[in-house]
Amino acid sequence: EACKLNSQEVVEEDKRLKLPPNWEAKKARLEWELKVQEKKKECAARGEDYERVKLLEISAEDAERWERKKKKKNPDLGFSDYAAAQLRQYQRLTRQIKPDLEQYEKLKEQYGEALYPTSDSLLHGTHVPSKDGVDRMVADLEKQIEKREKYSRRRPYNDDADIDYINERNAKFNQKAERFYGKYTAEIKQNLERGTAV
């Protein structure tokens, strides 16, 4: 009998090992989703709003914790590299596009299966964009150019900084010189200001 129980345990352990590593989490998630669906059905049957019922069951501490978590997630990561910036711009522009479904249906009827090109398709150069589409693209490009022209990074001006320049061009030169050689010339500059330079 002990041998029988042992073999059953081995079979069950083998089943558990064959399951994916995140099986427990997936199973818990699916069970939670089923509970949510059941609650939604119950609320709909009683004529109540599910979101309101759900919020009544959540404690204030949990709600606060979730709010803090939401605030931590910053979708705008700023500039990391040019590829990421280009991807963000592409995603922003594609979100703005509103497809013309009527035109799509007409093209689908006109071309049939040829609308979806494959490696054997010879449709290249046969498509002529509509006047509305061209106008939309031109308007979008003009908007991008206008936005780019408006953008300029605000550089803070410090009134208390020492004036060591005679014009704007000289100020830029001095800033560059300070940036590259400031750490080497700091002591000499201090001596000159104190009047103890040899």
Side-chain angles (χ1 to χ4, degrees), residues 117-122:
T118 62
S119 57
D120 301 328
S121 300
L122 296 173

Side-chain angles (χ1 to χ4, degrees), residues 25 34-35 38-39 45 57 69 90 97 102 107 109 111 123 133 135 140-141 158 167 185-186:
L34 284 172
K35 283 181 186 174
E38 286 174 14
K39 278 214 171 180
E57 292 174 359
K69 266 189 183 179
Y90 169 76
I97 292 173
E102 291 173 13
L107 285 172
E109 288 173 15
Y111 291 113
L123 275 177
D135 291 342
D140 187 50
L141 287 173
N158 187 4
N167 56 25
T185 61

Side-chain angles (χ1 to χ4, degrees), residues 14-196:
D14 189 46
K15 280 183 187 175
R16 280 196 306 267
L17 289 173
K18 285 181 179 173
L19 291 171
N22 59 350
W23 169 250
E24 293 295 323
K26 274 186 180 178
K27 188 176 174 187
R29 174 90 181 163
L30 288 170
E31 287 172 359
W32 177 78
E33 284 177 3
L34 284 172
K35 283 181 186 174
V36 167
Q37 286 178 354
E38 286 174 14
K39 278 214 171 180
K40 279 184 182 177
K41 285 178 186 174
E42 287 173 16
C43 290
R46 287 184 296 209
E48 296 175 342
D49 183 23
Y50 170 73
E51 292 297 320
R52 190 179 172 107
V53 171
K54 184 178 81 170
L55 290 173
L56 287 172
E57 292 174 359
I58 295 172
S59 69
E61 293 170 357
D62 290 341
E64 238 176 74
R65 190 164 23 97
W66 287 332
E67 284 300 316
R68 269 187 268 132
K69 266 189 183 179
K70 278 184 187 175
K71 282 181 184 175
K72 279 183 186 175
K73 288 182 182 173
N74 183 8
D76 184 13
L77 303 171
F79 181 83
S80 56
D81 61 349
Y82 288 103
Q86 189 175 15
L87 176 66
R88 282 177 54 205
Q89 183 188 19
Y90 169 76
Q91 287 171 340
R92 181 173 44 84
L93 292 174
T94 51
R95 275 196 302 268
Q96 292 173 0
I97 292 173
K98 293 170 184 72
D100 186 3
L101 295 175
E102 291 173 13
Q103 180 69 20
Y104 173 70
E105 290 297 328
K106 286 178 187 173
L107 285 172
K108 202 171 172 184
E109 288 173 15
Q110 185 179 352
Y111 291 113
E113 285 296 315
L115 184 64
Y116 310 105
T118 62
S119 57
D120 301 328
S121 300
L122 296 173
L123 275 177
H124 180 71
T126 59
H127 174 69
V128 179
S130 66
K131 180 102 173 80
D132 293 337
V134 173
D135 291 342
R136 213 172 36 236
M137 184 189 73
V138 169
D140 187 50
L141 287 173
E142 285 172 352
K143 200 190 320 178
Q144 284 180 43
I145 291 166
E146 189 179 312
K147 189 177 178 185
R148 211 173 293 134
E149 285 172 353
K150 279 184 186 175
Y151 177 78
S152 65
R153 198 172 87 219
R154 297 268 176 244
R155 289 171 175 79
Y157 178 73
N158 187 4
D159 289 330
D160 299 333
D162 292 333
I163 298 173
D164 60 350
Y165 54 88
I166 55 173
N167 56 25
E168 286 300 314
R169 189 170 173 204
N170 182 244
K172 293 268 187 264
F173 176 81
N174 289 348
Q175 284 173 355
K176 283 185 183 176
E178 180 65 29
R179 190 166 57 231
F180 291 111
Y181 303 111
K183 58 185 174 188
Y184 307 113
T185 61
E187 190 178 339
I188 298 167
K189 197 172 185 181
Q190 288 170 355
N191 288 341
L192 286 168
E193 287 171 0
R194 281 196 306 262
T196 59

